[in-house]
C-alpha cells in the first residue's frame, strides 16, 4: 500500500483562519508563542506595557509569515485594559479563537519583606488580569475556543524560600483553569494551564545569579527556551479533547 503525504511546507497550518491574543507578547515566552501561532496560520494580537518597539517587531515578524498582527498597549493590572484588550483583538480581526494568558510578573523574596503594593501588583497581573481576560474571551468565543494560561513550576513545587507571593498567584491559575474547563466545556471551549520551569528570558536569564541552582533542580539539568514552551501552547491551541489539564514544560523540575 502506498501512503501519500501532503507537501512538507503548506500555506495552511493547523490554526489557519484562527485569531489569537497573547498577553505580554512583546518578548520572552509570549513573543515566541505569537510567532509559533502565526507559523501555524493564526492571526495574532499581542499586548505589551513598556515594550512598544519590541511588540512592533513581533508584529512585523508575524506579518512576514503572511499573517495579520496588531500590538495593543494594555496593562493586565488594569481591570478595564485587561478585558479591553480582548475586545480590541476581537474587533481588529473579527472574533477570537485562542487566548494565551501569558503576561506575568515575579516578585520573589522573604515573606516579611513583601509589601501590600507587591501583593496587590502580583495578584492584579498574575490572577485578576487572567480572570478578567478569560471572562471577556469566554463571552466572545464560540465552540472551538481555547484558553491557555501560563502558570509556573512554582505552582507545583516550591523548591526553597522566597516564593510565597509568586507561588500563591500561580497556584490560583490551576483552580481557575479547572473551573473554566467545567464551565465552558458544554460550549466546546477548552481551558488548560502550562507550567514552565526555568526558561531563559528577561525575567529569568540563564546567565543570572540563581540560574545554576535552578538548572540543577531539573531532571535535564538545563534551562528551557521560550520556544519549547510555545510549542506546547500551540499544541493546546489545536487540541480538541484536552481540557482542565496542567502541562509541565519544566525539564523535569516537578519530577
Ligand atoms: P518576561 O519578563 O521575559 O516577559 C514578560 C512579558 O509580559 C513582556 O512582554 C511584558 O511586556 C509583559 N508584561 C509584563 N507585565 C505586564 C502587564 N502588567 N500587562 C501586560 N503585559 C505585561 O517574562 P517571561 O517570558 O519569562 O514570562 C512569561 C510568563 O511565563 C509569565 O507569566 C511568567 O510568570 C511565566 N513563567 C516564566 C518562567 C521563566 O523562567 N521565565 C518560569 C515559569 C513561569 P513589556 O515588555 O511591555 O513590559
Amino acid at each position: 500500500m502506498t501512503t501519500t503525504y501532503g507537501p512538507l511546507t503548506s500555506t495552511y497550518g493547523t490554526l489557519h483562519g484562527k485569531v489569537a491574543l497573547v498577553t505580554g507578547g512583546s518578548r520572552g515566552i509570549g513573543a515566541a508563542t505569537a510567532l509559533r501561532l502565526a507559523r501555524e496560520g493564526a492571526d495574532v494580537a499581542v499586548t505589551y506595557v513598556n515594550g512598544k518597539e519590541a511588540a512592533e517587531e513581533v508584529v512585523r515578524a508575524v506579518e512576514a509569515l503572511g499573517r495579520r498582527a496588531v500590538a495593543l498597549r494594555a496593562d493586565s493590572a488594569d481591570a478595564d485594559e485587561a478585558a479591553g484588550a480582548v475586545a480590541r483583538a476581537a474587533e481588529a480581526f473579527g472574533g477570537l479563537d485562542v487566548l494565551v494568558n501569558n503576561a506575568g510578573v515575579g516578585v520573589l523574596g522573604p515573606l516579611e519583606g513583601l509589601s501590600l503594593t507587591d501583593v496587590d501588583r502580583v495578584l492584579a497581573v498574575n490572577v485578576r488580569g487572567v480572570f478578567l481576560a478569560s471572562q471577556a474571551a469566554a463571552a466572545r468565543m464560540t465552540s472551538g475556543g481555547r484558553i491557555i494560561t501560563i502558570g509556573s513550576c512554582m505552582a507545583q513545587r516550591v523548591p526553597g524560600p522566597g516564593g510565597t507571593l509568586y507561588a500563591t498567584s500561580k497556584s490560583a491559575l490551576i483552580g481557575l483553569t479547572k473551573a473554566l474547563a467545567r464551565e465552558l466545556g458544554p460550549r466546546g471551549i477548552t481551558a488548560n494551564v502550562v507550567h514552565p520551569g526555568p526558561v531563559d528570558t528577561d525575567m529569568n536569564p540563564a546567565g543570572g545569579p540563581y540560574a545554576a541552582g535552578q538548572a540543577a533542580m531539573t531532571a535535564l539539568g538545563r534551562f528551557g527556551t521560550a520556544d519549547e514552551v510555545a510549542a506546547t501552547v500551540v499544541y493546546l491551541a489545536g487540541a480538541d479533547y484536552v481540557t482542565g489539564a496542567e502541562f509541565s514544560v519544566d525539564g523535569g523540575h516537578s519530577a
Side-chain angles (χ1 to χ4, degrees):
M1 193 179 113
T2 312
T3 305
T4 309
Y5 296 98
L8 285 175
T9 54
S10 167
T11 319
Y12 303 111
T14 55
L15 301 176
H16 181 71
K18 303 284 186 188
V19 172
L21 168 64
V22 182
T23 66
S26 55
R27 41 194 177 93
I29 292 168
T33 299
L35 289 177
R36 275 236 178 208
L37 289 166
R39 259 183 245 135
E40 288 299 330
D43 296 324
V44 187
V46 294
T47 69
Y48 68 93
V49 179
N50 299 308
K52 184 171 194 286
E53 279 176 22
E56 283 168 356
E57 250 178 64
V58 171
V59 165
R60 283 193 290 276
V62 168
E63 288 172 345
L65 293 165
R67 308 315 317 163
R68 295 182 294 172
V70 64
L72 307 169
R73 190 183 187 286
D75 186 347
S76 295
D78 181 293
D80 291 338
E81 292 184 23
V86 173
R88 290 160 72 195
E91 275 158 27
F93 297 134
L96 184 71
D97 303 289
V98 180
L99 169 66
V100 183
N101 287 308
N102 166 77
V105 288
V107 176
L108 301 171
L111 181 61
E112 62 273 18
L114 296 168
S115 67
L116 185 59
T117 305
D118 292 331
V119 174
D120 286 346
R121 172 85 188 153
V122 170
L123 295 183
V125 177
N126 292 10
V127 183
R128 192 180 68 168
V130 174
F131 184 97
L132 294 173
S134 301
Q135 189 181 42
R140 283 171 180 77
M141 283 175 172
T142 55
S143 182
R146 307 275 177 254
I147 298 174
I148 302 154
T149 298
I150 305 300
S152 168
C153 59
M154 294 265 290
Q156 300 183 300
R157 177 183 175 222
V158 182
T164 50
L165 181 51
Y166 187 67
T168 298
S169 72
K170 291 297 187 177
S171 307
L173 302 177
I174 299 171
L176 173 62
T177 296
K178 291 181 178 183
L180 285 172
R182 287 289 179 188
E183 186 143 343
L184 303 178
R187 291 173 46 202
I189 299 168
T190 66
N192 293 288
V193 59
V194 174
H195 295 305
V199 174
D200 185 17
T201 64
D202 294 340
M203 181 187 277
N204 189 13
Y210 307 108
Q214 291 181 66
M217 278 175 220
T218 69
L220 294 176
R222 67 167 177 87
F223 267 52
T225 66
D227 195 51
E228 285 171 326
V229 179
T232 296
V233 175
V234 167
Y235 155 71
L236 289 168
D240 293 330
Y241 199 59
V242 181
T243 194
E246 295 175 63
F247 285 78
S248 300
V249 185
D250 65 358
H253 184 274
S254 56

